[in-house]
Amino acid sequence: MIKNPFSLSHKTIVVTGASSGIGRQCALTLNQMGAFVILIGRSEERLQETASMLSNDNYVVLATDITDYTSTAEKLEKVLETKKQVDGIVHAAGISTTLPLRNITPEKLHPFFETNVYAAIHITKLLTKSKYVNPEGMSIVFIASVMGVVGELGKTTYSLTKGALVAGTKSLALELANKNIRVNCVLPGVVETPMSANAVYSQNEEAYTKIKSYHPLGLGKPEDVANACVYLLSPASRWVTGTNLVVDGGYTAR
Ligand SMILES: NC(=O)c1ccc[n+]([C@@H]2O[C@H](COP(=O)([O-])OP(=O)(O)OC[C@H]3O[C@@H](n4cnc5c(N)ncnc54)[C@H](OP(=O)(O)O)[C@@H]3O)[C@@H](O)[C@H]2O)c1
């Protein structure tokens, strides 16, 4: 029988941001592809909603604020007392803002780095301890953004955090390769989710039409990003590490 290289059977994958948008779809798709998923987000109610969309019991709900590093570590370690090994992480939790330079202060930058970057590193540090890593390999995927490699008016704060993920991925990939751990980034263009629905460009029709026109294939769907994650988490990408996988409907091709 031919083995499906994209299968995630028998894998345990931690998904942050599983209560909404891209992270929720990642949880659903990874589970459909065979994975046991650990669903992380702050809202227990919306995590349960994600869980109710699954057609099996291969999941656990873990409500936590990932910027509360100590409490998140304690909760994750508790879950892993039974699960023991981890095969993958998708860090999809993230927050965004549009802020002109004149309004940027260190205090305003801080929460964006805390959620988008520091929490990613904290969870990676915890789950790459030898006792949790499957010796057959682990794959870590950070959901960055095209804003980590190209610019847009008012997106400096968000870009700084996503650029940090893009840059950090390469050094982490080198550092963790000897433990058979791969680290990659996915860089989406605009994807239709609650985050993009709340963005400034969604508040007036002209701006929305403009942002749409920047994407030759139209705006993305959470499935487009989730499918890219399946590839990066599966044996199909066993020789891929330290990369940026741009999934943007052609946004950065211009
Ligand atoms: N949508 C886009 O156009 C787009 C484009 C490029 C990149 N991205 C990136 O893709 C990722 C997902 O975005 P999305 O559009 O799916 O956004 P979303 O619908 O707003 O979802 C964001 C998720 O992050 C979680 N989260 C935020 N802060 C958290 C915290 N402190 N602790 C735990 N969970 C937290 C939220 O959960 P709770 O509310 O339950 O805490 C939610 O599940 C983000 O990193 C975003 O930057 C999005």
Side-chain angles (χ1 to χ4, degrees):
M1 205 173 74
I2 299 168
K3 248 183 152 180
N4 177 358
F6 297 94
S7 168
L8 299 176
S9 288
H10 310 299
K11 291 193 185 295
T12 297
I13 299 174
V14 172
V15 183
T16 71
S19 53
S20 177
I22 291 171
R24 168 176 279 173
Q25 187 58 50
C26 283
L28 300 179
T29 305
L30 302 180
N31 175 270
Q32 269 165 21
M33 293 301 288
F36 181 100
V37 281
I38 299 176
L39 311 172
I40 296 184
R42 283 168 302 193
S43 163
E44 167 101 35
E45 194 186 335
R46 282 188 286 107
L47 287 172
Q48 292 295 354
E49 226 173 81
T50 304
S52 72
M53 296 171 186
L54 299 172
S55 56
N56 55 54
D57 292 337
N58 289 334
Y59 71 87
V60 64
V61 163
L62 199 166
T64 187
D65 182 334
I66 56 169
T67 65
D68 185 339
Y69 307 125
T70 311
S71 151
T72 298
E74 281 168 9
K75 290 177 186 172
L76 252 174
E77 279 172 330
K78 185 113 195 86
V79 167
L80 293 171
E81 277 171 15
T82 45
K83 248 350 218 176
K84 296 196 169 49
Q85 279 191 339
V86 178
D87 302 271
I89 306 171
V90 178
H91 178 61
I95 50 175
S96 178
T97 187
T98 302
L99 210 58
L101 178 61
R102 65 177 176 279
N103 291 345
I104 297 177
T105 61
E107 294 72 29
K108 283 189 182 161
L109 280 174
H110 198 57
F112 295 93
F113 273 92
E114 277 194 317
T115 306
N116 298 1
V117 185
Y118 305 159
I121 294 304
H122 176 257
I123 287 173
T124 298
K125 186 176 165 190
L126 178 75
L127 298 179
T128 54
K129 284 184 182 171
S130 298
K131 62 176 173 176
Y132 296 133
V133 176
N134 182 343
E136 285 179 22
M138 183 191 252
S139 171
I140 299 167
V141 180
F142 297 132
I143 307 298
S145 163
V146 290
M147 289 300 124
V149 289
V150 296
E152 195 54 75
L153 293 179
K155 297 311 282 187
T156 303
T157 298
Y158 185 63
S159 290
L160 283 168
T161 66
K162 296 303 185 177
L165 282 179
V166 167
T169 288
K170 296 185 191 304
S171 294
L172 268 179
L174 295 177
E175 187 172 335
L176 296 174
N178 66 353
K179 285 171 102 175
N180 203 9
I181 300 172
R182 301 184 292 107
V183 189
N184 294 287
C185 264
V186 173
L187 279 57
V190 173
V191 178
E192 288 169 332
T193 69
M195 180 186 278
S196 55
N198 290 326
V200 175
Y201 52 74
S202 296
Q203 310 309 315
N204 81 74
E205 210 173 315
E206 198 184 328
Y208 185 76
T209 307
K210 198 163 146 193
I211 199 88
K212 211 170 161 186
S213 73
Y214 291 165
H215 295 74
L217 295 180
L219 300 184
K221 297 200 176 306
E223 290 86 337
D224 299 319
V225 181
N227 290 340
C229 291
V230 169
Y231 166 65
L232 289 173
L233 291 159
S234 73
S237 61
R238 61 166 289 277
W239 205 45
V240 178
T241 197
T243 61
N244 299 332
L245 179 48
V246 176
V247 182
D248 70 351
Y251 183 92
T252 54
R254 294 178 316 122

